Amino acid sequence: MSSRIRFVLATLLGIAALSVVHAETCLSPFVKRLDRPEKFLYVYCVDADAKDNDFVAVVDVAKGSKTYGKITYQLDLGSKGNETHHFGFTDDRTHIWGMSLFSNRVFIIDVATDPAKPKLVKTIENIGEKAGFASPHSPYALPGRMLLSFLSAADGNLPTGLAIFRNDGAFIEKLTMPDDAPYGYDVAIRPDLNRMVTSSFTYFNNYKKPLAKFDFKKFGNDVLIWDYRMKKVRAKLKVGAAPLECRWSLKKQNNYGFTNCALADSIWVWEGDKNDKYTARKLCDTGKLPADLRQSPDDRFLFVSCFVSDEIQQWDVSDLKNPKLVSTLKPGVQPNMMHVTGDGKRMYITNSLLSTMDRSNDFWIKLAHITPEGLKLDETFHVDLTKFRTGPARGHDMLLN
Amino acid sequence: MALQQFSIGNCQWSIVNWLSAIVCLAFCVSITQAVERLPVIQKAPDFDLMDQSGKRVRLADFKGKVTLVSFIFTTCNGSCPATTSRMAKIQEHLEKKSLLEKGVRLISISLDPARDTPAVLRGYMRLYEADGATWSFLTGPPEKLSKTIAAWGMWAKPAANGQLDHPSRVFLVDRKGQIREIYNLDFLRVPWVTEDIEFLLREKH
């Protein structure tokens, strides 16, 4: 056996070994995965009455720790009224980029120097200025860069788009949504297929209003399939109203993915055929207002939080022609964001969607166990987000470290 | 042929003027909507290191060439073997397409100066059948190498398993010394990298 062949085999074994531990789902595929159980849960919090600064709550989730299930640190973000919403790791997992839907600020947070006490290293005011966009929504790591999806044009209307930044925050380039599909929301890439998918919600001048005043005709219902390397739209697919999260199948042989259509109470699937032609269809009806969509590491289950019907549904999607509802959990009022652990055994849950959409002031973080019998709420784990010195906080997105 | 005149208010324009305006407008719209292929990410940071034969090497030595730059260490059992193996395939493919002679070079910079001496790098190159004529493996004193690693936005720190933890990134640098793409292993595919290199070779410099 030649030295070259030996090394290629070693390489393949190395990759196989890495893929076993790389099991966290719903992160950019370029983000370094945790190779151990989680110790810290970061929760991106909005001060509920917008009178005090927004913050990141650090919850101790290390099993056996004396402070397990407690908030051990709060990182003050230095400003209020941001509507802190989604946040995401850089590719090397050393920093988190935090988005804000009302202020256009981006917070760059160091989580490597001391993961127990994250540090705010930079605040970028008006992140969309050079791209001509506003309302940064999804941060998505690329190698050495961050891809951000926006909800609005600079004036709070449409069209919106995507923009790419260096990890230090410098603007690189923008992609404007096409005239006939001008909305934006989430973004997800399958590198092996060279495909990127984007979804569509509504824009700032609509969602900034109280829910009762939303114009529900002003929501997108398109999923776009892009050639990622050429950054061109290849297919525009009609789906239910307000497709939100974009989740590609985790298995390399599968050229399909899922989105939760919030205003159509359903999950839709997009599928590419052997000729690389894409179509979309409704996969299943869900509870009311499916707000978040998560995957199990084995690609078998989808978890969908139904914000209005107060439930989380677990769907077996191993057979796309016959999806099965296998479990339903009622964790409390208006469940929204979920985060599934890398081993696929636990799920953290928060319950704020948007300050203009929440209907309850009872904010919390809960934990569900994903068992062979379905989702089971852990009654011993309950983080109350209403008792801060500054009053209640709306917890939204979560990350583990 | 007399040119038809149009008037708006006090302005009088010929058809030629109108056509010119429309062409200019269309051009401006196409510029604002066009997506630049491989936009400039940043200037590639310079380095001053030594190669596998102990010769001093600086980034400036590669000016006018398209370079593919990786960061590895020879005792790595994570992403480095796969990266170097893929780079070897890229070198082989570029050789077959006669692109190396048009000014393409590969560079691998060590993340582990304590162990990766020029002699160790030469042994590592043999394992991957890397051709030193167009692929340089670089090392240097720890302080110099640390500065280079940090300047490129990279880092390496000891991991619990005795290995070095580090990001997986491979940089494509154009003939002006600007970073134009950053790959990880998923995107470091022979046809895609070749296509990108050919694109950069076609650019004026």
Side-chain angles (χ1 to χ4, degrees), chain A residues 4 7 11 30 32 91-92 94 143-145 166-167 173 175 191-192 194 228-230, chain B residues 35 39 41-42 81-82 92 127-129 155 165 169 181-182 184 187 189 192 195-196:
Chain A
R4 176 86 173 267
F7 262 73
T11 296
F30 303 112
K32 193 177 178 62
D91 63 334
D92 60 1
T94 59
R145 288 151 293 167
R166 293 199 321 237
N167 278 353
E173 66 175 324
L175 309 174
D192 56 315
N194 184 30
Y228 170 68
R229 293 185 65 247
M230 296 301 158
Chain B
V35 176
I41 296 171
Q42 68 175 91
E92 199 176 308
L127 289 172
Y128 291 93
E129 296 170 7
W155 50 265
D165 194 10
R169 297 177 190 144
E181 180 59 289
I182 308 173
N184 79 339
F187 273 121
R189 296 183 171 214
W192 292 351
E195 195 177 283
D196 292 344

mmCIF file of all heavy atoms in Angstrom, chain A residues 4 7 11 30 32 91-92 94 143-145 166-167 173 175 191-192 194 228-230, chain B residues 35 39 41-42 81-82 92 127-129 155 165 169 181-182 184 187 189 192 195-196:
data_model
loop_
_atom_site.group_PDB
_atom_site.id
_atom_site.type_symbol
_atom_site.label_atom_id
_atom_site.label_comp_id
_atom_site.label_asym_id
_atom_site.label_seq_id
_atom_site.Cartn_x
_atom_site.Cartn_y
_atom_site.Cartn_z
ATOM 1 N N ARG A 4 0.588 7.311 -0.063
ATOM 2 C CA ARG A 4 -0.536 8.191 -0.442
ATOM 3 C C ARG A 4 -1.875 7.538 -0.105
ATOM 4 O O ARG A 4 -2.751 8.161 0.478
ATOM 5 C CB ARG A 4 -0.413 8.488 -1.942
ATOM 6 C CG ARG A 4 -1.546 9.307 -2.514
ATOM 7 C CD ARG A 4 -1.241 10.786 -2.304
ATOM 8 N NE ARG A 4 -2.241 11.593 -2.991
ATOM 9 C CZ ARG A 4 -2.106 12.050 -4.223
ATOM 10 N NH1 ARG A 4 -1.023 11.791 -4.916
ATOM 11 N NH2 ARG A 4 -3.051 12.785 -4.776
ATOM 12 N N PHE A 7 -2.612 7.450 3.549
ATOM 13 C CA PHE A 7 -3.064 8.736 4.100
ATOM 14 C C PHE A 7 -4.481 9.083 3.677
ATOM 15 O O PHE A 7 -5.234 9.666 4.436
ATOM 16 C CB PHE A 7 -2.071 9.854 3.748
ATOM 17 C CG PHE A 7 -1.152 10.116 4.873
ATOM 18 C CD1 PHE A 7 -0.154 9.221 5.165
ATOM 19 C CD2 PHE A 7 -1.330 11.228 5.690
ATOM 20 C CE1 PHE A 7 0.682 9.423 6.245
ATOM 21 C CE2 PHE A 7 -0.504 11.444 6.775
ATOM 22 C CZ PHE A 7 0.518 10.537 7.049
ATOM 23 N N THR A 11 -7.510 9.727 6.138
ATOM 24 C CA THR A 11 -8.365 10.899 5.962
ATOM 25 C C THR A 11 -9.832 10.515 6.046
ATOM 26 O O THR A 11 -10.621 11.134 6.746
ATOM 27 C CB THR A 11 -8.086 11.507 4.574
ATOM 28 O OG1 THR A 11 -6.760 11.957 4.550
ATOM 29 C CG2 THR A 11 -9.003 12.673 4.298
ATOM 30 N N PHE A 30 -21.321 24.997 8.263
ATOM 31 C CA PHE A 30 -19.922 25.442 8.379
ATOM 32 C C PHE A 30 -19.525 25.710 9.830
ATOM 33 O O PHE A 30 -18.366 26.023 10.106
ATOM 34 C CB PHE A 30 -19.707 26.715 7.551
ATOM 35 C CG PHE A 30 -20.071 26.531 6.106
ATOM 36 C CD1 PHE A 30 -21.167 27.179 5.560
ATOM 37 C CD2 PHE A 30 -19.341 25.676 5.294
ATOM 38 C CE1 PHE A 30 -21.516 26.997 4.231
ATOM 39 C CE2 PHE A 30 -19.694 25.480 3.965
ATOM 40 C CZ PHE A 30 -20.785 26.152 3.428
ATOM 41 N N LYS A 32 -18.474 24.830 13.474
ATOM 42 C CA LYS A 32 -17.829 23.748 14.229
ATOM 43 C C LYS A 32 -18.835 23.194 15.234
ATOM 44 O O LYS A 32 -19.484 23.950 15.950
ATOM 45 C CB LYS A 32 -16.652 24.386 14.958
ATOM 46 C CG LYS A 32 -15.650 23.495 15.563
ATOM 47 C CD LYS A 32 -14.559 24.408 16.159
ATOM 48 C CE LYS A 32 -13.503 23.604 16.848
ATOM 49 N NZ LYS A 32 -12.782 22.702 15.982
ATOM 50 N N ASP A 91 -18.179 30.570 12.000
ATOM 51 C CA ASP A 91 -17.799 29.201 11.610
ATOM 52 C C ASP A 91 -16.906 28.517 12.639
ATOM 53 O O ASP A 91 -17.001 27.312 12.844
ATOM 54 C CB ASP A 91 -17.135 29.192 10.217
ATOM 55 C CG ASP A 91 -15.834 29.976 10.158
ATOM 56 O OD1 ASP A 91 -15.649 30.906 10.966
ATOM 57 O OD2 ASP A 91 -14.991 29.664 9.298
ATOM 58 N N ASP A 92 -16.047 29.293 13.310
ATOM 59 C CA ASP A 92 -15.124 28.671 14.267
ATOM 60 C C ASP A 92 -15.693 28.630 15.686
ATOM 61 O O ASP A 92 -14.995 28.239 16.620
ATOM 62 C CB ASP A 92 -13.773 29.388 14.253
ATOM 63 C CG ASP A 92 -13.893 30.871 14.625
ATOM 64 O OD1 ASP A 92 -15.011 31.332 14.903
ATOM 65 O OD2 ASP A 92 -12.849 31.556 14.618
ATOM 66 N N THR A 94 -16.243 30.807 17.824
ATOM 67 C CA THR A 94 -15.639 31.661 18.849
ATOM 68 C C THR A 94 -16.510 32.875 19.159
ATOM 69 O O THR A 94 -16.365 33.486 20.210
ATOM 70 C CB THR A 94 -14.251 32.174 18.411
ATOM 71 O OG1 THR A 94 -14.409 32.916 17.188
ATOM 72 C CG2 THR A 94 -13.276 31.043 18.214
ATOM 73 N N PRO A 143 -17.482 29.965 5.688
ATOM 74 C CA PRO A 143 -16.082 29.917 6.112
ATOM 75 C C PRO A 143 -15.477 31.323 6.185
ATOM 76 O O PRO A 143 -15.397 32.032 5.172
ATOM 77 C CB PRO A 143 -15.419 29.077 5.007
ATOM 78 C CG PRO A 143 -16.535 28.234 4.464
ATOM 79 C CD PRO A 143 -17.752 29.100 4.526
ATOM 80 N N GLY A 144 -15.134 31.762 7.391
ATOM 81 C CA GLY A 144 -14.497 33.062 7.593
ATOM 82 C C GLY A 144 -15.392 34.262 7.393
ATOM 83 O O GLY A 144 -14.905 35.401 7.406
ATOM 84 N N ARG A 145 -16.680 34.061 7.193
ATOM 85 C CA ARG A 145 -17.614 35.177 6.933
ATOM 86 C C ARG A 145 -18.981 34.873 7.555
ATOM 87 O O ARG A 145 -19.241 33.757 7.989
ATOM 88 C CB ARG A 145 -17.823 35.360 5.423
ATOM 89 C CG ARG A 145 -16.649 35.938 4.672
ATOM 90 C CD ARG A 145 -16.632 35.461 3.238
ATOM 91 N NE ARG A 145 -16.358 34.029 3.175
ATOM 92 C CZ ARG A 145 -16.520 33.273 2.109
ATOM 93 N NH1 ARG A 145 -16.948 33.792 0.991
ATOM 94 N NH2 ARG A 145 -16.241 31.970 2.143
ATOM 95 N N ARG A 166 -17.397 40.112 6.519
ATOM 96 C CA ARG A 166 -16.265 39.419 7.130
ATOM 97 C C ARG A 166 -16.580 39.174 8.603
ATOM 98 O O ARG A 166 -17.435 39.850 9.176
ATOM 99 C CB ARG A 166 -14.992 40.265 7.017
ATOM 100 C CG ARG A 166 -14.515 40.439 5.600
ATOM 101 C CD ARG A 166 -13.059 40.870 5.528
ATOM 102 N NE ARG A 166 -12.627 41.828 6.509
ATOM 103 C CZ ARG A 166 -12.072 43.023 6.212
ATOM 104 N NH1 ARG A 166 -11.916 43.387 4.957
ATOM 105 N NH2 ARG A 166 -11.675 43.828 7.163
ATOM 106 N N ASN A 167 -15.849 38.288 9.232
ATOM 107 C CA ASN A 167 -16.117 38.009 10.646
ATOM 108 C C ASN A 167 -15.833 39.213 11.545
ATOM 109 O O ASN A 167 -16.300 39.263 12.680
ATOM 110 C CB ASN A 167 -15.305 36.796 11.118
ATOM 111 C CG ASN A 167 -15.990 35.489 10.744
ATOM 112 O OD1 ASN A 167 -17.123 35.481 10.258
ATOM 113 N ND2 ASN A 167 -15.316 34.377 10.967
ATOM 114 N N GLU A 173 -20.492 41.898 0.202
ATOM 115 C CA GLU A 173 -21.381 41.949 -0.966
ATOM 116 C C GLU A 173 -22.833 41.758 -0.544
ATOM 117 O O GLU A 173 -23.121 41.337 0.571
ATOM 118 C CB GLU A 173 -21.008 40.869 -1.984
ATOM 119 C CG GLU A 173 -21.223 39.452 -1.483
ATOM 120 C CD GLU A 173 -20.958 38.392 -2.542
ATOM 121 O OE1 GLU A 173 -21.264 38.624 -3.722
ATOM 122 O OE2 GLU A 173 -20.454 37.315 -2.169
ATOM 123 N N LEU A 175 -26.960 40.509 -2.013
ATOM 124 C CA LEU A 175 -27.806 39.852 -3.013
ATOM 125 C C LEU A 175 -29.223 40.373 -2.793
ATOM 126 O O LEU A 175 -29.793 40.166 -1.725
ATOM 127 C CB LEU A 175 -27.809 38.331 -2.822
ATOM 128 C CG LEU A 175 -26.460 37.621 -2.721
ATOM 129 C CD1 LEU A 175 -26.646 36.148 -2.393
ATOM 130 C CD2 LEU A 175 -25.731 37.747 -4.047
ATOM 131 N N PRO A 191 -23.986 22.586 1.146
ATOM 132 C CA PRO A 191 -22.758 22.753 0.362
ATOM 133 C C PRO A 191 -22.550 21.661 -0.680
ATOM 134 O O PRO A 191 -22.107 21.942 -1.791
ATOM 135 C CB PRO A 191 -21.649 22.711 1.413
ATOM 136 C CG PRO A 191 -22.313 22.903 2.723
ATOM 137 C CD PRO A 191 -23.720 22.469 2.576
ATOM 138 N N ASP A 192 -22.874 20.421 -0.318
ATOM 139 C CA ASP A 192 -22.622 19.315 -1.253
ATOM 140 C C ASP A 192 -23.481 19.419 -2.509
ATOM 141 O O ASP A 192 -23.109 18.950 -3.571
ATOM 142 C CB ASP A 192 -22.854 17.973 -0.563
ATOM 143 C CG ASP A 192 -24.244 17.866 0.034
ATOM 144 O OD1 ASP A 192 -24.698 18.832 0.686
ATOM 145 O OD2 ASP A 192 -24.907 16.832 -0.169
ATOM 146 N N ASN A 194 -24.472 22.447 -3.603
ATOM 147 C CA ASN A 194 -24.297 23.831 -4.070
ATOM 148 C C ASN A 194 -25.656 24.522 -4.184
ATOM 149 O O ASN A 194 -25.928 25.242 -5.145
ATOM 150 C CB ASN A 194 -23.550 23.875 -5.409
ATOM 151 C CG ASN A 194 -23.279 25.290 -5.863
ATOM 152 O OD1 ASN A 194 -23.121 26.198 -5.038
ATOM 153 N ND2 ASN A 194 -23.283 25.510 -7.171
ATOM 154 N N TYR A 228 -25.735 28.408 -5.067
ATOM 155 C CA TYR A 228 -25.003 29.171 -4.053
ATOM 156 C C TYR A 228 -23.726 29.792 -4.620
ATOM 157 O O TYR A 228 -23.455 30.977 -4.412
ATOM 158 C CB TYR A 228 -24.674 28.294 -2.831
ATOM 159 C CG TYR A 228 -23.724 29.032 -1.918
ATOM 160 C CD1 TYR A 228 -24.154 30.169 -1.238
ATOM 161 C CD2 TYR A 228 -22.394 28.676 -1.815
ATOM 162 C CE1 TYR A 228 -23.284 30.920 -0.459
ATOM 163 C CE2 TYR A 228 -21.516 29.417 -1.038
ATOM 164 C CZ TYR A 228 -21.964 30.534 -0.367
ATOM 165 O OH TYR A 228 -21.102 31.268 0.375
ATOM 166 N N ARG A 229 -22.943 29.014 -5.347
ATOM 167 C CA ARG A 229 -21.649 29.542 -5.802
ATOM 168 C C ARG A 229 -21.827 30.688 -6.798
ATOM 169 O O ARG A 229 -21.078 31.650 -6.791
ATOM 170 C CB ARG A 229 -20.803 28.421 -6.422
ATOM 171 C CG ARG A 229 -20.383 27.372 -5.386
ATOM 172 C CD ARG A 229 -19.461 26.338 -5.965
ATOM 173 N NE ARG A 229 -18.206 26.925 -6.366
ATOM 174 C CZ ARG A 229 -17.797 27.028 -7.624
ATOM 175 N NH1 ARG A 229 -18.559 26.573 -8.610
ATOM 176 N NH2 ARG A 229 -16.635 27.571 -7.902
ATOM 177 N N MET A 230 -22.830 30.554 -7.667
ATOM 178 C CA MET A 230 -23.052 31.617 -8.656
ATOM 179 C C MET A 230 -23.975 32.710 -8.100
ATOM 180 O O MET A 230 -24.166 33.746 -8.720
ATOM 181 C CB MET A 230 -23.668 31.034 -9.937
ATOM 182 C CG MET A 230 -22.755 30.067 -10.642
ATOM 183 S SD MET A 230 -21.193 30.859 -11.101
ATOM 184 C CE MET A 230 -20.111 29.452 -11.271
ATOM 185 N N VAL B 35 -24.407 40.514 -9.514
ATOM 186 C CA VAL B 35 -23.686 39.948 -8.389
ATOM 187 C C VAL B 35 -22.266 39.691 -8.859
ATOM 188 O O VAL B 35 -22.045 39.037 -9.875
ATOM 189 C CB VAL B 35 -24.344 38.634 -7.939
ATOM 190 C CG1 VAL B 35 -23.527 38.000 -6.830
ATOM 191 C CG2 VAL B 35 -25.762 38.889 -7.489
ATOM 192 N N PRO B 39 -16.153 38.305 -5.095
ATOM 193 C CA PRO B 39 -15.807 39.667 -4.681
ATOM 194 C C PRO B 39 -14.581 39.662 -3.757
ATOM 195 O O PRO B 39 -14.268 38.647 -3.135
ATOM 196 C CB PRO B 39 -17.049 40.124 -3.913
ATOM 197 C CG PRO B 39 -17.674 38.866 -3.426
ATOM 198 C CD PRO B 39 -17.409 37.833 -4.485
ATOM 199 N N ILE B 41 -12.609 39.938 -0.627
ATOM 200 C CA ILE B 41 -12.935 39.804 0.800
ATOM 201 C C ILE B 41 -12.001 40.708 1.614
ATOM 202 O O ILE B 41 -12.454 41.469 2.451
ATOM 203 C CB ILE B 41 -12.833 38.325 1.243
ATOM 204 C CG1 ILE B 41 -13.893 37.497 0.486
ATOM 205 C CG2 ILE B 41 -12.995 38.194 2.749
ATOM 206 C CD1 ILE B 41 -13.766 36.005 0.649
ATOM 207 N N GLN B 42 -10.748 40.633 1.331
ATOM 208 C CA GLN B 42 -9.780 41.533 1.965
ATOM 209 C C GLN B 42 -8.395 41.319 1.335
ATOM 210 O O GLN B 42 -8.191 40.336 0.619
ATOM 211 C CB GLN B 42 -9.690 41.308 3.477
ATOM 212 C CG GLN B 42 -9.073 39.968 3.875
ATOM 213 C CD GLN B 42 -8.909 39.847 5.372
ATOM 214 O OE1 GLN B 42 -9.796 39.359 6.065
ATOM 215 N NE2 GLN B 42 -7.769 40.302 5.874
ATOM 216 N N PRO B 81 -5.492 16.194 7.298
ATOM 217 C CA PRO B 81 -5.181 15.194 6.269
ATOM 218 C C PRO B 81 -6.126 15.281 5.074
ATOM 219 O O PRO B 81 -5.693 15.179 3.927
ATOM 220 C CB PRO B 81 -5.349 13.856 7.007
ATOM 221 C CG PRO B 81 -5.233 14.178 8.449
ATOM 222 C CD PRO B 81 -5.747 15.574 8.609
ATOM 223 N N ALA B 82 -7.410 15.513 5.356
ATOM 224 C CA ALA B 82 -8.377 15.615 4.257
ATOM 225 C C ALA B 82 -8.110 16.855 3.413
ATOM 226 O O ALA B 82 -8.193 16.817 2.186
ATOM 227 C CB ALA B 82 -9.795 15.660 4.823
ATOM 228 N N GLU B 92 -2.697 18.034 -8.809
ATOM 229 C CA GLU B 92 -2.636 17.062 -9.908
ATOM 230 C C GLU B 92 -3.520 17.521 -11.077
ATOM 231 O O GLU B 92 -3.115 17.477 -12.247
ATOM 232 C CB GLU B 92 -3.135 15.725 -9.349
ATOM 233 C CG GLU B 92 -2.763 14.507 -10.122
ATOM 234 C CD GLU B 92 -3.259 13.260 -9.383
ATOM 235 O OE1 GLU B 92 -2.976 13.103 -8.172
ATOM 236 O OE2 GLU B 92 -3.958 12.469 -10.018
ATOM 237 N N LEU B 127 4.444 12.081 1.760
ATOM 238 C CA LEU B 127 3.244 11.261 2.011
ATOM 239 C C LEU B 127 2.103 11.609 1.059
ATOM 240 O O LEU B 127 1.300 10.760 0.699
ATOM 241 C CB LEU B 127 2.777 11.447 3.456
ATOM 242 C CG LEU B 127 3.650 10.831 4.548
ATOM 243 C CD1 LEU B 127 3.173 11.276 5.911
ATOM 244 C CD2 LEU B 127 3.647 9.319 4.454
ATOM 245 N N TYR B 128 2.045 12.874 0.688
ATOM 246 C CA TYR B 128 0.955 13.322 -0.197
ATOM 247 C C TYR B 128 1.428 13.515 -1.638
ATOM 248 O O TYR B 128 0.670 13.998 -2.467
ATOM 249 C CB TYR B 128 0.342 14.622 0.350
ATOM 250 C CG TYR B 128 -0.422 14.393 1.629
ATOM 251 C CD1 TYR B 128 0.185 14.550 2.860
ATOM 252 C CD2 TYR B 128 -1.751 13.975 1.591
ATOM 253 C CE1 TYR B 128 -0.503 14.308 4.036
ATOM 254 C CE2 TYR B 128 -2.450 13.728 2.759
ATOM 255 C CZ TYR B 128 -1.813 13.903 3.978
ATOM 256 O OH TYR B 128 -2.511 13.656 5.135
ATOM 257 N N GLU B 129 2.665 13.123 -1.902
ATOM 258 C CA GLU B 129 3.243 13.271 -3.240
ATOM 259 C C GLU B 129 3.078 14.702 -3.750
ATOM 260 O O GLU B 129 2.697 14.938 -4.901
ATOM 261 C CB GLU B 129 2.628 12.251 -4.202
ATOM 262 C CG GLU B 129 2.961 10.822 -3.785
ATOM 263 C CD GLU B 129 2.178 9.765 -4.553
ATOM 264 O OE1 GLU B 129 1.470 10.123 -5.510
ATOM 265 O OE2 GLU B 129 2.266 8.591 -4.177
ATOM 266 N N TRP B 155 -6.511 30.636 14.105
ATOM 267 C CA TRP B 155 -5.997 30.421 15.445
ATOM 268 C C TRP B 155 -5.770 28.929 15.640
ATOM 269 O O TRP B 155 -6.332 28.111 14.907
ATOM 270 C CB TRP B 155 -6.951 30.974 16.527
ATOM 271 C CG TRP B 155 -8.386 30.551 16.383
ATOM 272 C CD1 TRP B 155 -9.373 31.244 15.771
ATOM 273 C CD2 TRP B 155 -8.982 29.330 16.851
ATOM 274 N NE1 TRP B 155 -10.559 30.549 15.818
ATOM 275 C CE2 TRP B 155 -10.352 29.374 16.489
ATOM 276 C CE3 TRP B 155 -8.524 28.215 17.549
ATOM 277 C CZ2 TRP B 155 -11.245 28.336 16.779
ATOM 278 C CZ3 TRP B 155 -9.402 27.189 17.853
ATOM 279 C CH2 TRP B 155 -10.751 27.257 17.475
ATOM 280 N N ASP B 165 -6.726 22.461 18.210
ATOM 281 C CA ASP B 165 -8.037 22.872 17.714
ATOM 282 C C ASP B 165 -7.808 24.083 16.797
ATOM 283 O O ASP B 165 -7.037 24.979 17.147
ATOM 284 C CB ASP B 165 -8.906 23.264 18.918
ATOM 285 C CG ASP B 165 -10.359 23.385 18.541
ATOM 286 O OD1 ASP B 165 -10.716 22.986 17.416
ATOM 287 O OD2 ASP B 165 -11.139 23.895 19.374
ATOM 288 N N ARG B 169 -10.205 26.385 7.130
ATOM 289 C CA ARG B 169 -10.411 27.385 6.067
ATOM 290 C C ARG B 169 -9.254 27.312 5.064
ATOM 291 O O ARG B 169 -8.097 27.170 5.464
ATOM 292 C CB ARG B 169 -10.439 28.812 6.639
ATOM 293 C CG ARG B 169 -11.571 29.089 7.602
ATOM 294 C CD ARG B 169 -11.445 30.498 8.162
ATOM 295 N NE ARG B 169 -12.369 30.722 9.266
ATOM 296 C CZ ARG B 169 -12.090 31.463 10.341
ATOM 297 N NH1 ARG B 169 -10.916 32.054 10.451
ATOM 298 N NH2 ARG B 169 -12.985 31.624 11.298
ATOM 299 N N GLU B 181 -11.914 34.084 -2.080
ATOM 300 C CA GLU B 181 -12.830 33.026 -1.636
ATOM 301 C C GLU B 181 -12.202 32.348 -0.435
ATOM 302 O O GLU B 181 -10.973 32.324 -0.287
ATOM 303 C CB GLU B 181 -13.079 32.022 -2.779
ATOM 304 C CG GLU B 181 -14.026 30.869 -2.464
ATOM 305 C CD GLU B 181 -15.431 31.297 -2.040
ATOM 306 O OE1 GLU B 181 -15.559 31.826 -0.905
ATOM 307 O OE2 GLU B 181 -16.385 31.116 -2.821
ATOM 308 N N ILE B 182 -13.070 31.848 0.463
ATOM 309 C CA ILE B 182 -12.589 31.038 1.586
ATOM 310 C C ILE B 182 -13.405 29.748 1.556
ATOM 311 O O ILE B 182 -14.637 29.782 1.611
ATOM 312 C CB ILE B 182 -12.772 31.748 2.947
ATOM 313 C CG1 ILE B 182 -12.170 33.162 2.908
ATOM 314 C CG2 ILE B 182 -12.147 30.928 4.071
ATOM 315 C CD1 ILE B 182 -12.464 34.006 4.154
ATOM 316 N N ASN B 184 -14.200 25.741 2.976
ATOM 317 C CA ASN B 184 -13.911 24.696 3.944
ATOM 318 C C ASN B 184 -13.930 23.407 3.134
ATOM 319 O O ASN B 184 -14.060 23.442 1.899
ATOM 320 C CB ASN B 184 -14.893 24.719 5.114
ATOM 321 C CG ASN B 184 -16.211 24.074 4.767
ATOM 322 O OD1 ASN B 184 -16.557 23.946 3.599
ATOM 323 N ND2 ASN B 184 -16.953 23.680 5.771
ATOM 324 N N PHE B 187 -16.581 22.730 0.377
ATOM 325 C CA PHE B 187 -16.504 23.481 -0.876
ATOM 326 C C PHE B 187 -15.168 23.311 -1.604
ATOM 327 O O PHE B 187 -15.014 23.789 -2.717
ATOM 328 C CB PHE B 187 -16.749 24.977 -0.619
ATOM 329 C CG PHE B 187 -18.202 25.354 -0.651
ATOM 330 C CD1 PHE B 187 -18.818 25.935 0.436
ATOM 331 C CD2 PHE B 187 -18.959 25.111 -1.787
ATOM 332 C CE1 PHE B 187 -20.157 26.269 0.402
ATOM 333 C CE2 PHE B 187 -20.297 25.436 -1.839
ATOM 334 C CZ PHE B 187 -20.900 26.018 -0.746
ATOM 335 N N ARG B 189 -13.720 21.489 -3.588
ATOM 336 C CA ARG B 189 -13.898 20.420 -4.570
ATOM 337 C C ARG B 189 -13.076 20.744 -5.805
ATOM 338 O O ARG B 189 -13.032 21.889 -6.245
ATOM 339 C CB ARG B 189 -15.370 20.290 -4.937
ATOM 340 C CG ARG B 189 -16.170 19.873 -3.729
ATOM 341 C CD ARG B 189 -17.605 19.657 -4.051
ATOM 342 N NE ARG B 189 -18.220 19.061 -2.877
ATOM 343 C CZ ARG B 189 -19.202 18.181 -2.913
ATOM 344 N NH1 ARG B 189 -19.701 17.805 -4.070
ATOM 345 N NH2 ARG B 189 -19.694 17.684 -1.806
ATOM 346 N N TRP B 192 -14.739 22.783 -8.636
ATOM 347 C CA TRP B 192 -15.153 24.127 -8.232
ATOM 348 C C TRP B 192 -13.937 25.033 -8.035
ATOM 349 O O TRP B 192 -13.924 26.182 -8.468
ATOM 350 C CB TRP B 192 -15.991 24.068 -6.946
ATOM 351 C CG TRP B 192 -17.325 23.408 -7.128
ATOM 352 C CD1 TRP B 192 -17.892 23.032 -8.311
ATOM 353 C CD2 TRP B 192 -18.259 23.053 -6.107
ATOM 354 N NE1 TRP B 192 -19.122 22.461 -8.087
ATOM 355 C CE2 TRP B 192 -19.374 22.460 -6.746
ATOM 356 C CE3 TRP B 192 -18.275 23.164 -4.721
ATOM 357 C CZ2 TRP B 192 -20.480 21.989 -6.038
ATOM 358 C CZ3 TRP B 192 -19.374 22.703 -4.011
ATOM 359 C CH2 TRP B 192 -20.463 22.119 -4.663
ATOM 360 N N GLU B 195 -12.443 25.885 -11.363
ATOM 361 C CA GLU B 195 -13.265 26.902 -12.047
ATOM 362 C C GLU B 195 -12.964 28.299 -11.491
ATOM 363 O O GLU B 195 -12.826 29.268 -12.246
ATOM 364 C CB GLU B 195 -14.729 26.539 -11.803
ATOM 365 C CG GLU B 195 -15.737 27.214 -12.668
ATOM 366 C CD GLU B 195 -17.129 26.688 -12.334
ATOM 367 O OE1 GLU B 195 -17.452 25.582 -12.751
ATOM 368 O OE2 GLU B 195 -17.875 27.400 -11.634
ATOM 369 N N ASP B 196 -12.855 28.396 -10.162
ATOM 370 C CA ASP B 196 -12.558 29.688 -9.534
ATOM 371 C C ASP B 196 -11.163 30.179 -9.936
ATOM 372 O O ASP B 196 -10.959 31.367 -10.208
ATOM 373 C CB ASP B 196 -12.648 29.585 -8.001
ATOM 374 C CG ASP B 196 -14.083 29.349 -7.517
ATOM 375 O OD1 ASP B 196 -15.018 29.569 -8.316
ATOM 376 O OD2 ASP B 196 -14.260 28.939 -6.356
#
